[in-house]
Amino acid sequence: MSEARFEISAGFLPLLDSALLVIAREKGFAGDEGIALHLVRETSWANIRDRIAVGHFQVAHMLAPMPIACNLGLTPLAATTIVPMALGLGGNAVSVSNPLWAELEAHGAVGDLSPRKTGEALKTAVIQRKSAGKPPLRFAVVHPHSGHNYELRYWLAACGIDPDDDVEIVIVPPPLMADALGSGALDGFCAGEPWNTAAVALGHGRIATVKAKIWRSSPEKVLGAEARWAEANPEALAALLRAIHRSARWCAEPANHQELAAILSAPGHVGRPAEWMLPALSGLLRTGPEATVAVEDFFVPQAKAATFPWKSHALWLYSQMVRWRQVKHSVDNAAIARETYRPDLYRAALKPLGVALPGANAKVEGALAAATPVGSAGASLTLGPDGFFDGSRFDPDELDDYITGQMRTNSG
């Protein structure tokens, strides 16, 4: 371990995908880069955002859309924040209460996590509830500017359910979701692991579908960095990116998953049983009391350029902010979203390691039906599959047309 040259404080939430930051410290990768990495467990994404703004944190485990929202002025007390690195792909699921799952089964859902079949069953349940004069189903997400909110809305809308009129969507911190499902306060939620596994383990609900099937190889958490600090401390940031890269490689090895789950289970990290971490790491999800479903690429920490901050990811997330009327579309706003993600910093930090670096900063999302070798610097690189479940594609060069098309089809 090198003598510490850099002091970096990082906030995180108790989620499986905090693993890359946690392991960077716990396995010594940060220390090897001369970093004294101080991790602070937080209770909400709002606290993460606010503490970066006031200088308590230099970097943080953040929702992929959150830095974009900060830079667009959509949140109070927000500092300009950049994304020099992603923290993996996938990792979320949609869970529903036991009573709602019984309804969905009656309408044709079969427990295979199919977004289409489960969504059609949910649409029937929504229509019947409306006809009977019952209150709308209540779903929770972790934050308005989250992948959870956008993927839940995307799924519902593509299945003919209006997320604003046919259901109610509320904000609940991830550690409270399983208990809220069990108490009847929620009918469903979209959250990261281990909270879906927790809902099943506690007998409160079922996993209905997963992010990895709604949009394969899709973004989830990122490393957010306060922009002024990043500009003033390029060596420290580059060292941190190298440490997290080494952490991602370690987390991706199946032989390390038992140890990873044990480390995450510590009270200062996720603070829940190691057994709750393992399903997401293995991709063998326990979806119900006696049901297990294998999900390819449920959580990807390192393969498929999983830590690369694609500008096309930033622009898709921005398109959903526009779609759901959080921000008006303009050339300037699209540019702010695009420039929030900084693949140039990623390349500069990791090029000396000879790692696979994509040959482009953006790509057509949803274009790869199978794993596909692509042009890269350094090691060879394979991307995909990356399809949306409804067969759509997002070309960042056709942003205006994509937004216009989605605004026309918000309810299916």
Side-chain angles (χ1 to χ4, degrees), residues 257-323:
H257 287 172
Q258 290 284 345
E259 183 181 357
L260 174 56
I263 291 171
L264 291 175
S265 71
H269 298 147
V270 179
R272 293 296 188 274
E275 292 75 18
W276 289 9
M277 318 294 166
L278 291 170
L281 294 174
S282 68
L284 293 173
L285 295 188
R286 184 183 173 203
T287 59
E290 297 179 356
T292 300
V293 179
V295 181
E296 188 176 359
D297 297 337
F298 176 80
F299 171 58
V300 182
Q302 193 268 333
K304 304 182 181 184
T307 58
F308 189 77
W310 292 98
K311 288 182 179 286
S312 45
H313 286 171
L315 287 171
W316 186 86
L317 294 167
Y318 165 76
S319 80
Q320 301 308 292
M321 294 178 181
V322 175
R323 181 181 188 181

Side-chain angles (χ1 to χ4, degrees), residues 9-15 17-18 21-22 38-68 70 75-83 87 142-143 145 148 173-175 220-227 268-269:
S9 291
F12 73 96
L13 249 59
L15 292 156
D17 50 28
S18 68
L21 272 172
V22 170
H38 306 287
L39 298 183
V40 181
R41 172 174 152 154
E42 264 300 345
T43 57
S44 73
W45 293 114
N47 284 3
I48 292 274
R49 176 200 67 213
D50 294 348
R51 294 190 71 180
I52 277 196
V54 301
H56 290 181
F57 303 145
Q58 289 77 55
V59 300
H61 169 231
M62 295 185 82
L63 300 158
M66 184 181 282
I68 300 168
C70 291
T75 60
L77 196 66
T80 302
T81 307
I82 61 169
V83 175
L87 296 176
V142 305
H143 192 273
H145 307 123
H148 315 76
E220 181 44 42
K221 302 300 190 308
V222 296
L223 182 75
E226 200 277 324
H269 298 147

